Every structure is written in structure tokens, then in C-alpha cells.
Amino acid sequence: MSNGVNGHHNSSEGELFLSEAFKVILEEAVHKATDVKEKVCEWKDPEELRVLMDLELGDHGESHQQLLQRVRDIARYSVKTNHPRFFNQLFAGVDYHSLTGRFLTEALNTSQYTYEVAPVFVLMEDVVLRKLRSLVGWSEGDGIFCPGGSVSNMYAMNVARYWAFPQVKTQGLWTVPRLAVFTSQEVKLKKCFCIFGRMIPEDLEAKIVHAKSQGAVPFFVNATAGTTVQGAFDPLDRIADISERNGIWMANSCTWNPHKMLMAGLQCSVFLMRDTTNLLMHCHCANATYLFQQDKFYDMSLDTGDKSIQCGRKVDCLKLWLMWKAIGAQGLANRVDIAFASTRYFVEELKKREGFQVVSEPQFVNVCFWFIPPSLRGKENSPDYQEKLAKVAPVIKERMVKKGSMMVGYQPLDGRVNFFRMVILSPQLNHSDLDFFLDEVERLGNDL
Amino acid sequence: MSNGVNGHHNSSEGELFLSEAFKVILEEAVHKATDVKEKVCEWKDPEELRVLMDLELGDHGESHQQLLQRVRDIARYSVKTNHPRFFNQLFAGVDYHSLTGRFLTEALNTSQYTYEVAPVFVLMEDVVLRKLRSLVGWSEGDGIFCPGGSVSNMYAMNVARYWAFPQVKTQGLWTVPRLAVFTSQEVKLKKCFCIFGRMIPEDLEAKIVHAKSQGAVPFFVNATAGTTVQGAFDPLDRIADISERNGIWMANSCTWNPHKMLMAGLQCSVFLMRDTTNLLMHCHCANATYLFQQDKFYDMSLDTGDKSIQCGRKVDCLKLWLMWKAIGAQGLANRVDIAFASTRYFVEELKKREGFQVVSEPQFVNVCFWFIPPSLRGKENSPDYQEKLAKVAPVIKERMVKKGSMMVGYQPLDGRVNFFRMVILSPQLNHSDLDFFLDEVERLGNDL
């Protein structure tokens, strides 16, 4: 039963492997991954990649060198989301301090249940949540780190339902009336409706009246500050007024994903509340006796894990905390300013060029635009114009991915055919990266 | 807008910091954290720790050296879950290959939506899920990695409800009858009931009949293989028969947490299904047009992210995959065998000692026992015996934590007063660690 036999390596071998693998990771997944001279992705068809990667899991282990090669291969064939020319999602770039926090999180392998097992992280989560609440404008409140924004939104709906109908927890859903939820049209909240019910968008106050007349109880309104595609902002104040007037949960909580614009790295999402009555704990506590003993020798209000719908919960606060300590609130604010300045530059340059047309004026760092290839210019009134335009973005996307030069998303929306969504987040971008982007779209699309 | 100004560091400074921090992490959070000569935890009262850690977040950044010191301090005051004398939870020990996979995951910062952005991990997740399903005994099926076991269980209940009442997704909860869920008594499923309804344990078939007579529709039975406290196994076959006879979801899916006994590290939980009709996708898809375009140039069935209730989803398969490649299925099986052998050794040694009494015969690697201090021995019939015994474990726990010698959990359960739950998972344990544990309980409790 000693180490080194029985199919597992001993600790000095393990540490050696970890050190060598770290060098590979730093070189392949950080250094080269952020180098504009390298590809954003090395495209392979699924069938080809399956063979290259030899993914199947067998009975026997592999050698140190084989495993290091696997680390290299995984980095090689993965998309470099850290790359200055990755614009495909609402996250981009790399923060080295956050990444350090993430490595430390993994090495410590802490589950954030109690002060007993997570002393530093219980206190740290509290500090970070308080800081984020203060930026939202709330001097008091509650909150929790969640595994992603959809889960944070689910918390909001669940806590709102419990707030309106606390019997849901002890007596079950059947004791609750038919409920209605309202949200703006272009939202990421749809995942929640898989669990909670149906989405009824548009025309809020009239819809609330209508829902009530149908026997439903409106209990939740979602408003979005920065929609996924267009980066649009709902009129938060007006919606808050309507919600308050109708006794509906809206400005009571806020979901914020520092893994996006703040570059904290996946996953880093917080659910923030104004509540000071311990609603979050009341809503979710299961009082597991093996974790939340009531005869401990310290202040048991620090055992915050029971606020979560999870049992084991990964530490997600450290990466944000360490990044904040490294650059301060001013450094974070500068990043946002830089992103806005880059966006303004990009939009100006785009408008100077023939064939680029914005879908709407950007409110945020999302720039939605069509590239109209030479063959379609001036033919806006042709009957097949929209149909042909719809096919442009997918072809340019395929070409850029196969070339590996950059990545940007496209989609149709609200009757508008496929357009690109450029998202400018990373402070590591400079003007030449943005010029390259526009040049590259032209290079890839001018023959279409 | 160049690097190096505006509150962020440039990439060569960033890489330097990362390299130096890695050395600190390796030394403090891995090397020393696994050394039996070091403490499992360095206990500080919350007030003292708040001051020591200087957690508050300010406007300005700190120096390289200050930040490295913070990495050191976080490791110092955190509990060493990797330590051979950490028995406090259902995870323990460290696997160096898994940890490498976790570092690589963090460096690549991939969100597991689509083949386009996560080519390697889409294929890898599929391979790992298939392998795990085959070990459950299913040659076909579906599944997904989830952020923890509670979320996996939530998937099970949500998919089961959708399977029974697909209109829940499009028409809302109010169109579904009153539902009933069944589970064994000692379960971790309680978190789900915060979202889904009420728990009705015991006496399954009679309860199903009773629920039906009350107008409820039973749709879900949960059975547990290895309960949290006692490591007990429900009679799976019998429960499956009853469930099948009543058309209730039970052996249709399985939640498995490789972050526990397999040492993959938090978070690594899978939800596995037998279903071959794409139920998981139908239940959860939101068809976000910005991710799941239908005019892509590759097989879009590989865009598996829409099976998730999350939008952004962390890659959780790589750590398990790399560990598996490193030691093979045989290495993993050996670990389980070693854990069982260690458990047997521990129970034998425990029974040889005066004052140790098992709560029940272990079925698994959990050993629940009371330590009866000399002052209580032979006094089982005293009226205050239980009351006094209940106070023993908390005192011993407080002493061990303040000393930092080891960590083990305790709890009351089903009318039995506080007992210790020893969990023997890590293959890095040897007999002397287990002897030390028993000696230490005696040392800490003999005066009580």
C-alpha cells in the first residue's frame, strides 16, 4: 500500500510531471496562444481530430513523455481564447493574475461549504460580494458565486418565487398558483424557462395586466444590461418602477459575470441581492448535519455553503480577488475604458470602409455588422438580396476558421439575416489588431 | 492602448509572475500540503484571519512581491485537502495528472458550447461519458458534465419531469399535475427539493400508491449508491423494479462524481442517461442563434452545449481524461481496491481498541464510529450518557483543528448522537496514517 505501486505515481514523480507540464502549458496555452503570429485555431474535421487525439480510454497507463505530448496536443488543437484575434464570445484575452488565482484554486481543491474547510475563501467571498454590491449601489445585501450566469439567473427566479410563495419549499409546487415571468426579447434567460416556465416578452405593464386577468401571478421581471448579441441595455429604471408598482421581483437582485468583460476566467459569476433577511439561506438550506453542525466552536453564520443549491462548490472568488489586488479598481476601470475606446475606433474605421454596414449603433462593446461583398453592393432592392447576404457570413466564418486567422461569431436576429457580432473586450488589443480584423474580413469575403 | 500601461501588465511580466507563482503553488499548496510533517490546517479565528489576510479590495494595484506573498498566505491559511490526514469530506488526496489537466483547462479558458470553440473537449467529453456509461452497464445513451452532484441530480429531476410531461417546457408548470418524488432517507438530494418540490421518503410502493390516491403523479425515484454519511447502498434492483412497474424515472439516469473517490478534483460530476432519443437536448435547448447556428460547415450535432442548463460551461472532462490516460482503468480500479483494503484495516484496528464503537458495519469506505472517553465507558445505562457522548466529538474536533493534526467530520443522524465519519479514499494513505488517526483521537479525547 506504499506509494509508487498499484497504478499510481508517487509524489516526487508527480511533482516532476506537474513542473514539466507547467512549462508546456505556459509555452503552448499561454505564450504562443497570445502571440498574433500564431493561429487562433488549428482547424481539423471531427473525424480527423478523433484520430489525431487518440481519445479512447484504456486499461493501462501511459508514459511521462506520452502524457506531456498529450498536453501539447490538447493545447495545439484547442481554440486559443486568449488570442488577440479571438472575438467569438463574450470573453477574451488573458489576465495573468487571475490565471494564477485559478491555478492556486485548483491546487488547493477546496469546496466552499464552511469556515472550517474554507476559512480564507469564506471570508474572501464575503469581501468580493460586498465590493461588487457596492458597485451596483447597494450598501447591504447578500449573494453567492455561481457556476455561470444561467445558474445565477436561476437563483434569481428561485429566490423570487420563494419570496412570493415560501410554502413552495415545504409544501411543493402544487400549492403555488400559476406564475408568470417577464423578460426582454433578446435574452440569455431561456435556459431558466426549461426549469421554471414560459417566457412572455414585450410590452411589460400591459402583459402584467393580461397575465393577471388570465389567473396567473406575475412574480419576476428580468431586465438586461448588455444583451448577448447587440449589447443593448433595457430601460432599467422604468422596468424597476413598473415591477415595484406591481410587487414583482426585479431590482431585488442582479447577476454579474466577471468572467466576461473583467477577464476573471471561466467560471466567475455572482448572484447579488439587496435582501438583508437571509432569504437566500432560507430558500436553499437543506441543513445537512454532516456539514452544518450547530455545535461548532466558531461563528456558524460563516458556514455560508447552505445558501447554495450546490453541495460541493468550487471556489470562484479567488481569481477575481487576486486580479483585483494586482491592478486595483482603477486598473479594472481602465480596462473598461480601453474597451470602449477600442470599440469607438473600430466603429469609425468600419464606417470608413465600403461594404461594411452596422446593424444598429453600438451601445456597448458589441458591434453588429454586415459585410456586403462587391457583388451585392448597390443591389439592396434585388428580390434575392437578403437570401444572398445571409450566406456571406457563414462562408467568411468557415474560411477564417480553416485559415485560423481569427474568430468572430455571426447569427440572424429578429428577421435580420446573418450578421457578424464583433465583441471588443480585451485591453491587450491594439489598433493594428482591429485594422487586421477589417482587412481580413475583406480578404476573405471580397470574391463572394 | 499598448500593453504595459493603463493598469494592466504586459505579457512577459505576466508570464514571469505566473512562473514564479507556480513555484510557490507547487511548494506551498502541493509539496508541503501533502507532507504528513506539516499541519492539515493552520487554524485562525475569523477575526484574526481577516486582519492577517488584508482581504479588502482597493483602488490601486500591488507589487509583484506583495502578490506572491498573498499566494503564499492563501495557501498557508487554507485547509490542505490534499493532506494524508484530511478525512473531513468525501474527497481527499491529490492526483498530479488530474491537477495538470486542471491547470491546462484554466490556461485554455474554454467554454464548452460548440465544436467550433471547443473541438478537442467536445470529442473528449463524448469519449469520457461513453466510457463511464459502459461502466454503469449501458452500451448506449447520453450525458453531460455538470458543476457538481447536486446540479446533476437536478438534471435528473428536470429531464424526468420533461419525459413525463413535455408540455412543461412550452406551456409552463401550471399545466402539469401535482407531482411526487421519492428518495431514501439519508440523501444529498434535498437541495433539489428547494427547486422541485417536497421529499417523501420510506416505504416506496405504499407511498407511491398513497401519493396517487392523493391526486399526485409519482414521476421520480432517487436511489443512492453510497450515502453521504454512512456510505450505505439502497437496494437498487428492487427499487428499479418498483419504479419500472409504476412508470417512474429511476434506472433511467445516474449521477456519478469522479471528483470524489476517483480523485479528479472539484468539480467533476457527470449526469448519465440511458436515453437514445435526445431527450436531454429537447429538454434544455434554447437554440441561441449566436451559438447554435444551423448553417455551419461541420456536423452540428457536435454542438452539444445546448444539452446544458448552462450557457457558458467550464470544461470538466479533461482532468478525468488525463488522469485516466496516465494510470488506466486498472490504476483507477486499484485505487478503489486500496481504499477498501485500507478501510478493512482501519475497522479491524478500531475494533481492537477500547473506547471505539462502530455505529454500523461499514458497507463502503465510510466508517462511522463513536469514541467513548474513559469517563463514559461502562456507563451506557446512565440517564445522561447520550447527552454527554454527544459532546465528545465536537470537543475532539475543535482540538484537532486548533492543533492542525488532522481533520474528520462528525454529525448526529437518525436519533444517534454525534459520531465521527471517517472516510478512507486516498491511495496515498498507508497504515501508519490510519494508526496515527486512532492514536490521535485517543490523545485528544482521553481526558474527556
Side-chain angles (χ1 to χ4, degrees), chain A residues 31 44 55-56 102 106 115-116 147 170 191 198 293 295 306 308 310 321 325 397 410 418, chain B residues 15 44 55-56 102 106 115-116 147 170 191 198 293 295 306 308 310 321 325 397 410 418:
Chain A
H31 186 76
K44 297 288 170 193
L55 292 165
E56 295 300 323
R102 291 148 72 190
E106 296 298 331
Y115 185 79
E116 174 183 319
T170 50
K191 290 287 187 189
R198 195 161 70 98
Q293 301 91 331
D295 47 12
D306 221 8
S308 172
Q310 303 182 265
W321 182 88
K325 282 288 187 190
K397 175 67 176 267
Y410 72 86
N418 280 327
Chain B
E15 288 178 19
K44 298 287 171 194
L55 291 166
E56 296 300 323
R102 291 148 72 189
E106 296 298 330
Y115 185 79
E116 174 183 320
T170 50
K191 291 287 186 189
R198 194 161 69 99
Q293 301 92 332
D295 47 11
D306 221 8
S308 172
Q310 304 183 266
W321 182 87
K325 281 289 187 190
K397 176 67 176 266
Y410 71 85
N418 281 326

Side-chain angles (χ1 to χ4, degrees), chain A residues 55-336:
Chain A
L55 292 165
E56 295 300 323
L57 297 168
D59 287 343
H60 303 286
E62 297 185 347
S63 74
H64 186 104
Q65 287 310 321
Q66 280 174 307
L67 294 164
L68 284 178
Q69 187 57 42
R70 289 192 175 279
V71 170
R72 232 173 258 119
D73 289 344
I74 291 165
R76 176 168 180 189
Y77 295 113
S78 288
V79 171
K80 310 302 185 294
T81 68
N82 298 336
H83 196 283
R85 289 169 188 171
F86 177 81
F87 306 104
N88 210 67
Q89 314 297 153
L90 292 175
F91 62 93
V94 59
D95 180 279
Y96 299 90
H97 298 100
S98 168
L99 188 52
T100 299
R102 291 148 72 190
F103 284 2
L104 180 55
T105 301
E106 296 298 331
L108 289 169
N109 200 37
T110 307
S111 183
Q112 181 125 14
Y113 321 99
T114 60
Y115 185 79
E116 174 183 319
V117 291
V120 173
F121 302 125
V122 162
L123 301 182
M124 187 183 282
E125 182 174 44
D126 180 58
V127 167
V128 176
L129 290 170
R130 190 153 20 86
K131 188 75 185 178
L132 294 176
R133 274 197 309 270
S134 76
L135 291 170
V136 171
W138 299 338
S139 58
E140 290 182 302
D142 204 346
I144 194 162
F145 276 80
C146 298
S150 294
V151 176
S152 292
N153 287 337
M154 199 177 82
Y155 268 72
M157 292 182 75
N158 203 48
V159 173
R161 186 172 65 182
Y162 177 79
W163 171 68
F165 301 100
Q167 73 270 29
V168 72
K169 188 176 175 186
T170 50
Q171 293 170 33
L173 285 173
W174 69 285
T175 63
V176 171
R178 179 178 167 193
L179 301 175
V181 166
F182 304 86
T183 184
S184 47
Q185 204 146 13
E186 188 209 314
V187 288
K188 298 188 73 168
L189 205 68
K190 277 190 186 170
K191 290 287 187 189
C192 290
F193 295 106
C194 304
I195 292 176
F196 287 98
R198 195 161 70 98
M199 176 164 73
I200 306 171
E202 301 166 355
D203 195 0
L204 183 58
E205 194 133 33
K207 287 285 182 191
I208 291 173
V209 171
H210 180 72
K212 286 178 175 173
S213 75
Q214 301 285 307
V217 178
F219 80 109
F220 186 85
V221 172
N222 171 66
T224 307
T227 56
T228 308
V229 177
Q230 301 201 81
F233 284 67
D234 282 332
L236 302 181
D237 282 342
R238 250 176 55 214
I239 294 174
D241 290 345
I242 295 171
S243 302
E244 200 178 349
R245 199 153 59 230
N246 288 276
I248 300 175
W249 186 283
M250 181 264 170
N252 310 56
S253 67
C254 170
T255 290
W256 181 349
N257 293 337
H259 63 229
K260 292 180 180 157
M261 196 165 190
L262 292 186
M263 302 175 69
L266 288 164
Q267 55 196 40
C268 191
S269 173
V270 294
F271 171 64
L272 302 173
M273 297 170 71
R274 290 179 97 155
D275 171 76
T276 56
T277 68
N278 219 8
L279 192 62
L280 188 57
M281 178 73 92
H282 293 311
C283 181
H284 292 144
C285 71
N287 298 313
T289 57
Y290 59 93
L291 286 172
F292 306 109
Q293 301 91 331
Q294 295 307 303
D295 47 12
K296 289 184 181 174
F297 60 94
Y298 61 83
D299 174 5
M300 286 159 288
S301 74
L302 292 168
D303 290 353
T304 46
D306 221 8
K307 293 181 181 182
S308 172
I309 59 162
Q310 303 182 265
C311 183
R313 183 164 62 99
K314 204 172 160 53
V315 171
D316 289 329
C317 59
L318 169 55
K319 51 199 160 200
L320 177 56
W321 182 88
L322 194 63
M323 179 172 78
W324 206 306
K325 282 288 187 190
I327 68 170
Q330 286 196 348
L332 294 170
N334 279 346
R335 287 190 180 172
V336 176

Side-chain angles (χ1 to χ4, degrees), chain B residues 99-298:
Chain B
L99 188 52
T100 300
R102 291 148 72 189
F103 284 3
L104 180 55
T105 301
E106 296 298 330
L108 289 170
N109 200 37
T110 308
S111 185
Q112 181 125 17
Y113 319 100
T114 60
Y115 185 79
E116 174 183 320
V117 291
V120 173
F121 302 125
V122 161
L123 300 183
M124 187 182 282
E125 183 174 45
D126 180 57
V127 167
V128 176
L129 290 170
R130 192 154 16 89
K131 188 75 185 175
L132 294 175
R133 274 198 309 269
S134 77
L135 291 169
V136 171
W138 300 337
S139 58
E140 293 183 299
D142 203 348
I144 195 162
F145 275 80
C146 298
S150 293
V151 175
S152 293
N153 287 337
M154 200 178 81
Y155 268 71
M157 292 182 76
N158 203 48
V159 173
R161 185 172 66 184
Y162 177 78
W163 171 67
F165 301 100
Q167 73 269 30
V168 72
K169 188 176 177 187
T170 50
Q171 295 171 32
L173 285 173
W174 68 285
T175 63
V176 171
R178 178 179 168 193
L179 300 175
V181 167
F182 303 86
T183 183
S184 48
Q185 203 146 16
E186 187 210 312
V187 287
K188 297 188 75 170
L189 205 68
K190 276 189 187 171
K191 291 287 186 189
C192 291
F193 296 106
C194 304
I195 292 176
F196 288 96
R198 194 161 69 99
M199 175 166 70
I200 306 172
E202 298 165 358
D203 195 1
L204 182 59
E205 193 132 33
K207 287 285 183 192
I208 291 172
V209 171
H210 180 72
K212 287 179 175 173
S213 75
Q214 300 285 307
V217 178
F219 81 109
F220 186 84
V221 172
N222 171 65
T224 307
T227 56
T228 309
V229 177
Q230 301 200 81
F233 284 68
D234 283 333
L236 303 181
D237 282 341
R238 250 175 55 214
I239 294 175
D241 290 344
I242 295 172
S243 302
E244 201 178 349
R245 198 155 57 231
N246 287 277
I248 301 175
W249 186 284
M250 180 264 170
N252 310 56
S253 67
C254 170
T255 289
W256 182 347
N257 292 337
H259 63 229
K260 291 181 180 159
M261 198 164 188
L262 292 186
M263 302 175 71
L266 287 165
Q267 56 197 39
C268 191
S269 173
V270 293
F271 171 63
L272 302 174
M273 296 169 73
R274 289 179 97 156
D275 171 76
T276 55
T277 68
N278 219 7
L279 193 61
L280 188 57
M281 178 72 92
H282 294 311
C283 181
H284 292 144
C285 71
N287 299 313
T289 56
Y290 59 94
L291 286 172
F292 305 109
Q293 301 92 332
Q294 295 306 304
D295 47 11
K296 290 184 181 174
F297 61 93
Y298 60 85

Side-chain angles (χ1 to χ4, degrees), chain B residues 342-360:
Chain B
S342 298
T343 306
R344 279 192 300 276
Y345 173 81
F346 179 78
V347 174
E348 278 164 24
E349 293 301 308
L350 181 148
K351 286 180 174 174
K352 286 180 193 163
R353 294 183 186 225
E354 206 184 352
F356 288 85
Q357 187 187 330
V358 293
V359 173
S360 57

